[in-house]
């Protein structure tokens, strides 16, 4: 686990907000997503301000190849984090041969983030929110009258602290809710607080 003197790179928050239509289709809303990125990034700083002396903001590299490599690392985090989330929710999905010994990692490619920033650890955050449209809400109510349960949106997210020397994931936490809203600062604060409350910094 990181010690008091370590430096942590705050990676760009990976967030997407969608409207859940009556037909159950998620339509990404760019305006909501943009607002959520702003709220979560701001509240992340507020939550971690006591560690402010060791937080480094991610700076996008000028070199296109470096930028592509960093974006691939962010996408890999989504894949690995999603797998970790499934295993944490349904332990039976973890192969028994590696249940006790398996170490989660993003691979040694993350060292490029260390070289670019000088940070020892990287903090990655992934959140997906969906909200029921008026049509979807009407369908939920109608279905409930006939005893059928239909989902009305959800909030799924996870955060990881990654050792940028070797890619090892040293800490992981998740949120999974039927309700949640990142479109306002107060709601974003609550979600981020829950997500990083036990981060070992």
């Amino acid at each position: 686990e990181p010690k008091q003197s370590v430096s942590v790179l705050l990676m760009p928050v990976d967030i997407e907000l969608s409207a859940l239509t009556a037909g159950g289709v998620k339509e990404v809303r760019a305006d909501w997503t943009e607002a959520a990125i702003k709220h979560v990034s701001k509240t992340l700083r507020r939550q971690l301000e006591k560690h402010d002396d060791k937080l480094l903001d991610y700076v996008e590299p000028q070199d296109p190849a470096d930028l592509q490599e960093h974006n691939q690392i962010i996408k890999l985090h989504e894949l690995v984090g999603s797998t970790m989330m499934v295993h944490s929710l349904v332990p039976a999905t973890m192969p028994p041969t590696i249940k006790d010994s398996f170490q989660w990692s993003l691979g040694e490619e993350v060292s490029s983030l260390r070289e670019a920033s000088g940070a020892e650890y990287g903090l990655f955050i992934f959140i997906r929110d969906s909200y029921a449209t008026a049509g979807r809400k009407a369908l939920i109510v109608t279905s409930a009258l006939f005893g059928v349960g239909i989902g009305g949106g959800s909030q799924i997210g996870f955060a990881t602290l990654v050792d940028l020397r070797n890619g090892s994931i040293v800490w992981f936490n998740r949120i999974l809710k039927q309700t949640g809203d990142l479109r306002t600062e107060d709601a974003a604060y609550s979600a981020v607080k829950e997500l990083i409350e036990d981060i070992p910094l």
Side-chain angles (χ1 to χ4, degrees), residues 81-94:
S82 299
T83 306
M84 290 177 73
M85 190 155 190
V86 169
H87 290 329
S88 72
L89 293 168
V90 190
T93 59
M94 178 76 86

Side-chain angles (χ1 to χ4, degrees), residues 141-156:
V141 172
T142 308
S143 301
L145 293 173
F146 293 96
V148 179
I150 287 182
S154 61
Q155 183 177 84
I156 298 167

Side-chain angles (χ1 to χ4, degrees), residues 3-198:
K3 303 292 187 290
Q4 284 300 315
S5 59
V6 303
S7 52
V8 179
L9 180 65
L10 295 181
M11 293 300 293
V13 287
D14 186 350
I15 294 177
E16 204 170 80
L17 270 60
S18 307
L20 191 63
T21 66
V25 176
K26 286 182 181 177
E27 295 179 345
V28 177
R29 288 284 301 267
D31 52 341
W32 291 354
T33 298
E34 195 177 326
I37 289 172
K38 200 178 294 178
H39 293 321
V40 169
S41 298
K42 182 180 176 183
T43 200
L44 186 60
R45 272 279 179 195
R46 282 173 64 197
Q47 295 279 353
L48 294 171
E49 60 188 2
K50 64 181 175 186
H51 309 294
D52 201 46
D53 59 327
K54 53 186 167 183
L55 297 180
L56 300 171
D57 284 314
Y58 173 78
V59 178
E60 212 171 77
Q62 297 297 311
D63 185 283
D66 289 343
L67 180 59
Q68 186 177 8
E69 185 176 10
H70 292 182
N71 286 337
Q72 288 300 321
I73 292 169
I74 291 170
K75 285 177 183 165
L76 179 62
H77 172 258
E78 175 187 349
L79 183 65
V80 174
S82 299
T83 306
M84 290 177 73
M85 190 155 190
V86 169
H87 290 329
S88 72
L89 293 168
V90 190
T93 59
M94 178 76 86
T97 51
I98 61 172
K99 195 169 280 187
D100 297 321
S101 60
F102 191 61
Q103 297 293 312
W104 297 101
S105 174
L106 295 188
E108 292 184 2
E109 289 80 5
V110 300
S111 62
S112 65
L113 294 173
R114 179 174 169 79
E115 288 160 18
S117 65
E120 291 154 285
Y121 292 85
L123 176 59
F124 291 76
I125 288 182
F126 172 94
I127 304 175
R128 292 293 182 269
D129 259 11
S130 57
Y131 310 96
T133 60
R136 183 70 177 179
K137 286 174 181 170
L139 185 63
I140 291 166
V141 172
T142 308
S143 301
L145 293 173
F146 293 96
V148 179
I150 287 182
S154 61
Q155 183 177 84
I156 298 167
F158 48 83
T160 63
L161 198 60
V162 179
D163 188 330
L164 297 183
R165 291 165 295 190
N166 55 23
S168 294
I169 292 174
V170 296
W171 171 84
F172 170 84
N173 195 28
R174 60 176 167 79
I175 49 173
L176 181 60
K177 299 177 177 179
Q178 288 301 312
T179 58
D181 197 335
L182 297 177
R183 294 172 292 184
T184 66
E185 201 170 322
D186 286 349
Y189 187 85
S190 297
V192 172
K193 185 178 181 187
E194 184 176 342
L195 201 50
I196 64 167
E197 63 183 348
D198 63 347

